[in-house]
């Protein structure tokens, strides 16, 4: 049962989405492989074996441990296991993007389980981590991808999977908009964008220039555009045809604009992939 029809454009969109998700999984996990020992290794900031020992004391039954803190690290909390999980998840993400063996959904699930396991060690609670963890379960429900060089998916997913992807995108964008505009008097203080340019994670040169030299009218204009993009446009994802295409174009442009002014890791890239 296909969700959005079986035409070429739908198949291409789902194929690019699935491969993009797999590449972000690979990037995130391979990047973690370089950091995980410093954070949670035996000589790290918060050693994972100490964390697991505390969890064992709080959750006296093994079934409860796997339920409340699901992680393959319960089997081994060595440094080799930590780094091996990150590397294995990264390799699974690459295999999924390549469509290796026609088992992209399985590779996505493997990468997801590795990321979920590392959450217990590192505490992956940033917005980009949460988005990737939630998207990983949806990626595991997508139809298998054919191997490269084919880009399109072999079939469209179940309609419920498509709806869950759109619902996730709506919650993400509208949630950020609600956070920015609810209870804030932007009518009297219209320079949120100017402050955002310098207070965001690692502003780029362009972000610094916009903060220092950007005209006030431009900051006010961008704030109005952000209100439209994050409060009004997300509702368009639930309408077929041009409204949904317009929403995708606006939201991808928003992610591109944010990425050029600051560094949110893979967050804006993953959001743009979800817009597909």
């Amino acid at each position: 049962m296909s969700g959005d029809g079986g035409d070429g454009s739908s198949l291409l969109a789902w194929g690019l989405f699935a491969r993009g998700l797999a590449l972000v999984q690979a990037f995130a996990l391979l990047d973690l492989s370089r950091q995980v020992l410093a954070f949670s290794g035996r000589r790290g900031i918060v050693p994972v074996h100490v964390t697991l020992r505390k969890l064992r004391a709080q959750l006296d039954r093994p079934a409860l441990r796997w339920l409340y803190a699901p992680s393959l690290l319960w089997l081994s909390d060595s440094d080799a296991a930590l780094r091996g999980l990150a590397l294995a998840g990264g390799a699974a993400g690459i295999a999924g993007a390549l469509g290796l063996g026609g088992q992209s959904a399985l590779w996505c699930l493997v990468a997801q389980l590795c990321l979920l396991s590392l959450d217990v060690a590192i505490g992956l609670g940033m917005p980009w981590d949460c988005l990737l963890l939630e998207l990983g379960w949806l990626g595991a429900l997508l139809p298998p991808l054919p191997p490269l060089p084919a880009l399109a998916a072999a079939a469209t997913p179940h309609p419920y999977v498509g709806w869950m992807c759109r619902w996730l995108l709506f919650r993400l964008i509208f949630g950020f908009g609600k956070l920015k505009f609810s209870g804030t008097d932007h009518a009297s203080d219209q320079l949120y964008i100017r402050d955002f340019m310098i207070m965001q994670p690692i502003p780029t040169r362009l972000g610094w220039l916009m903060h220092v030299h950007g005209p006030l009218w431009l900051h006010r204009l961008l704030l109005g555009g952000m209100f439209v993009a994050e409060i009004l446009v997300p509702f368009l994802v639930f309408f077929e045809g041009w409204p949904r295409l317009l929403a995708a174009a606006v939201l991808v442009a928003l992610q591109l604009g944010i990425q050029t002014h600051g560094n949110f890791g893979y967050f804006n890239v993953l959001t743009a992939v979800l817009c597909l």
Side-chain angles (χ1 to χ4, degrees):
M1 184 177 182
S2 58
D4 297 306
D7 57 278
S9 59
S10 292
L11 294 175
L12 179 60
W14 282 109
L16 292 175
F17 165 65
R19 294 188 197 276
L21 171 58
L23 284 175
V24 174
Q25 284 181 316
F27 174 85
L29 283 154
L30 292 177
D31 191 47
L32 278 176
S33 71
R34 299 161 44 194
Q35 308 173 45
V36 67
L37 296 186
F39 275 103
S40 302
R42 292 281 166 172
R43 307 173 82 180
I45 299 172
V46 184
V48 68
H49 71 278
V50 175
T51 302
L52 294 180
R53 185 169 65 238
K54 293 178 180 178
L55 287 173
R56 286 190 182 95
Q58 297 169 5
L59 305 170
D60 54 350
R61 287 185 291 171
L64 291 178
R65 298 169 195 163
W66 286 93
L67 179 63
Y68 288 102
S71 176
L72 295 174
L73 293 171
W74 288 116
L75 303 176
S76 173
D77 56 16
S78 66
D79 286 359
L82 274 171
R83 197 147 192 269
L85 275 173
L87 291 173
I94 294 174
L98 295 174
L100 197 64
Q103 299 294 328
S104 56
L106 177 61
W107 294 124
C108 183
L109 181 60
V110 170
Q112 173 74 355
L113 293 177
C114 291
L115 193 66
L116 186 66
S117 297
L118 292 171
D119 178 36
V120 174
I122 299 178
L124 301 174
M126 299 303 290
W128 39 89
D129 300 320
C130 296
L131 178 59
L132 184 57
L133 280 167
E134 189 162 351
L135 261 180
W137 297 117
L138 294 179
L141 298 176
L142 296 176
L145 292 171
L148 290 176
L151 293 178
T156 53
H158 192 282
Y160 290 160
V161 177
W163 188 89
M164 286 189 288
C165 289
R166 289 186 284 275
W167 174 240
L168 175 56
L169 179 61
F170 172 82
R171 287 193 294 115
L172 176 71
I173 301 298
F174 187 79
F176 276 113
K178 181 175 178 291
L179 183 67
K180 291 184 182 76
F181 294 100
S182 176
T184 303
D185 187 10
H186 285 300
S188 59
D189 180 13
Q190 301 179 3
L191 299 180
Y192 168 82
I193 298 295
R194 186 186 67 175
D195 296 336
F196 175 79
M197 289 295 177
I198 200 66
M199 294 176 67
Q200 63 183 317
I202 316 180
T204 64
R205 181 73 174 176
L206 180 59
W208 180 85
L209 289 172
M210 277 292 295
H211 172 77
V212 176
H213 300 292
L216 298 184
W217 65 264
L218 180 57
H219 290 298
R220 296 188 179 100
L221 180 64
L222 290 174
L223 182 63
M226 182 169 285
F227 178 85
V228 172
E230 295 190 349
I231 297 296
L232 303 179
V233 168
F235 288 94
L236 298 181
V237 304
F238 299 114
F239 296 90
E240 294 185 359
W242 69 264
R244 188 176 294 168
L245 295 176
L246 176 62
V250 170
L251 296 179
V252 168
L254 175 64
Q255 303 313 310
L256 180 62
I258 296 174
Q259 188 70 46
T260 56
H261 291 86
N263 183 0
F264 288 83
Y266 57 79
F267 183 56
N268 300 115
V269 176
L270 183 58
T271 304
V273 167
L274 180 56
C275 288
L276 292 174

